Amino acid sequence: MGDEVLIGYSFWGFLGSGVVDTPDGGRSHRRPLVDGLRQAGHDIVFLQPNRDLCDAGLDLTSSYRWDVGLPELDALFLEWRWPIAGRNTTPCGRPGHTCDLHRQAELIAHYTHRLGTPTILWDKDRQLDPADPLRRTGNVTICEAAMRPSPGATPLLFPVADAILDSADPTMLAAQNRSTPLVYVGNQYDRDEAFDTFFAPAAAHLPHLIAGKWNNTHRWPGLNFVGRVPFPQVAEIHADALATVLLLPGRYAEAGQITQRIFEAVLAGCVPLLPTGVRGAAKLVPASLHVRHAIDVRHRVGWLAEIARTNNHADLIDDCLRRLDPFRLSTQLGVLDRLLRHPEPVPS
């Protein structure tokens, strides 16, 4: 490939704030990644429908390009989609159907298999079957947003812009008044065990807030579930909170996959508490914030309340900010630039 690579980018979500009634964790990091790739000299065309315009009424077509056909490409980049019963597995045109999976299959058939186009498959949710033939396809590179990814996969973490990290002021963040001791922002998906172990028993004794899609909450009567919130409100919730817990599905914890919640929280001055069982991720959070169970969570929140708005609080936030370096956009762009120019061979 030459210096400029024309990338066909497939994602099911938004570049802007999107809409409230649909999940899309990529809103915090997708646009910085896209803009970073363009600033690095690459060109990008989006290959799924323009949901910013169709669903959210946000017209970005003067700045970005969408094509639902099969344009010529140098590389294909997939934010991996998987079957979701009753949604993308139903026939086209049926009420509630989304065509992300059908479109992804079309792209893989045309570009990856028929044309042999270099393909980067970003398995952000760790949903790709370990036995999937794509793992053994020579022109496919698998990436995971994990510190300890699957064998043969390349780490590609969720990125945060360098300028945002560099401009964060721990003293100012520590000085803010924070009225909510404990929050969690995120959806229920496969988090019940972690929620039971680390969050729910602590929240029963603390003012708290839980935002996101939690359909089955009958097990936790009395907890403050507020439902989904507009994406800009995520920062507001964290800015009013002392701490959050990084609740992870087991498949994330075993691979050391920390979601975008870590930098969404820290950049707002909300301290992240990390369960000790998260593999290989301890260096991302100070040891004083590691927790083994809900009793630890209560003790850490009590300690944070004691040091709030002091120099110790500012030093702790500063430590958390410095540990976000692995998520720097410049680092992740370096990974992608290498893969785009020199695709890695798949082990036989």
Side-chain angles (χ1 to χ4, degrees):
M1 298 180 188
D3 287 339
E4 179 182 290
V5 177
L6 174 56
I7 304 166
Y9 194 126
S10 171
F11 72 95
W12 187 252
F14 304 92
L15 295 176
S17 294
V19 294
V20 174
D21 62 348
T22 186
D24 178 23
R27 283 173 287 192
S28 67
H29 56 263
R30 183 179 296 118
R31 194 166 181 177
L33 181 63
V34 167
D35 289 346
L37 285 167
R38 288 170 33 150
Q39 290 167 9
H42 303 303
D43 193 10
I44 291 179
V45 55
F46 300 125
L47 301 175
Q48 295 274 2
N50 182 353
R51 297 186 66 202
D52 284 282
L53 182 60
C54 298
D55 295 359
L58 177 63
D59 189 353
L60 298 173
T61 54
S62 63
S63 301
Y64 302 95
R65 180 160 54 108
W66 280 262
D67 192 326
V68 294
L70 297 169
E72 291 188 10
L73 300 175
D74 295 318
L76 176 65
F77 185 93
L78 304 167
E79 290 189 15
W80 185 246
R81 303 299 300 165
W82 61 95
I84 302 174
R87 189 186 304 174
N88 58 15
T89 59
T90 56
C92 296
R94 180 169 292 183
H97 174 77
T98 62
C99 222
D100 52 304
L101 195 63
H102 292 166
R103 175 59 167 167
Q104 179 176 269
E106 179 185 35
L107 297 173
I108 291 172
H110 179 74
Y111 292 109
T112 308
H113 295 316
R114 188 173 303 126
L115 299 181
T117 303
T119 300
I120 296 175
L121 190 163
W122 197 12
D123 188 15
K124 299 169 66 174
D125 292 271
R126 296 184 58 78
Q127 294 284 356
L128 183 66
D129 193 304
D132 194 297
L134 285 169
R135 293 189 184 274
R136 301 183 299 278
T137 301
N139 57 317
V140 175
T141 300
I142 308 297
C143 293
E144 295 178 4
M147 306 292 288
R148 303 285 181 87
S150 304
T154 297
L156 180 64
L157 305 185
F158 301 128
V160 59
D162 292 44
I164 293 176
L165 287 178
D166 294 338
S167 62
D169 186 333
T171 301
M172 290 184 61
L173 291 171
Q176 292 178 201
N177 183 49
R178 299 177 183 273
S179 63
T180 311
L182 184 65
V183 300
Y184 181 74
V185 180
N187 297 321
Q188 185 168 8
Y189 309 139
D190 302 321
R191 287 175 168 84
D192 285 15
E193 182 178 354
F195 191 78
D196 274 331
T197 302
F198 298 99
F199 196 95
H205 298 277
L206 295 167
H208 66 278
L209 181 151
I210 305 143
K213 182 180 180 181
W214 289 71
N215 290 332
N216 304 311
T217 61
H218 62 277
R219 292 168 52 185
W220 307 291
L223 295 194
N224 185 25
F225 294 94
V226 300
R228 283 178 168 157
V229 297
F231 180 65
Q233 195 175 335
V234 172
E236 296 173 10
I237 291 171
H238 285 135
D240 189 49
L242 273 176
T244 186
V245 184
L246 300 176
L247 300 176
L248 302 172
R251 67 182 186 277
Y252 287 11
E254 68 186 13
Q257 176 161 327
I258 303 293
T259 73
Q260 69 280 358
R261 300 302 177 203
I262 186 171
F263 55 76
E264 289 177 353
V266 174
L267 288 168
C270 177
V271 169
L273 304 178
L274 177 72
T276 54
V278 177
R279 184 168 178 243
K283 65 181 181 181
L284 298 177
V285 172
S288 60
L289 300 178
H290 297 178
V291 292
R292 297 163 297 170
H293 38 59
I295 294 175
D296 280 352
V297 172
R298 286 182 62 187
H299 289 168
R300 298 300 189 278
V301 172
W303 168 62
L304 289 168
E306 292 176 0
I307 68 168
R309 307 179 76 172
T310 68
N311 290 338
N312 288 338
H313 191 199
D315 290 343
L316 182 64
I317 294 174
D318 183 53
D319 193 356
C320 291
L321 286 166
R322 286 187 284 106
R323 290 169 186 265
L324 294 179
D325 272 355
F327 296 95
R328 282 185 176 269
L329 175 61
S330 56
T331 301
Q332 307 316 312
L333 288 176
V335 173
L336 278 178
D337 195 63
R338 173 175 56 81
L339 294 178
L340 289 166
R341 300 183 197 280
H342 306 286
E344 295 184 345
V346 175
S348 58

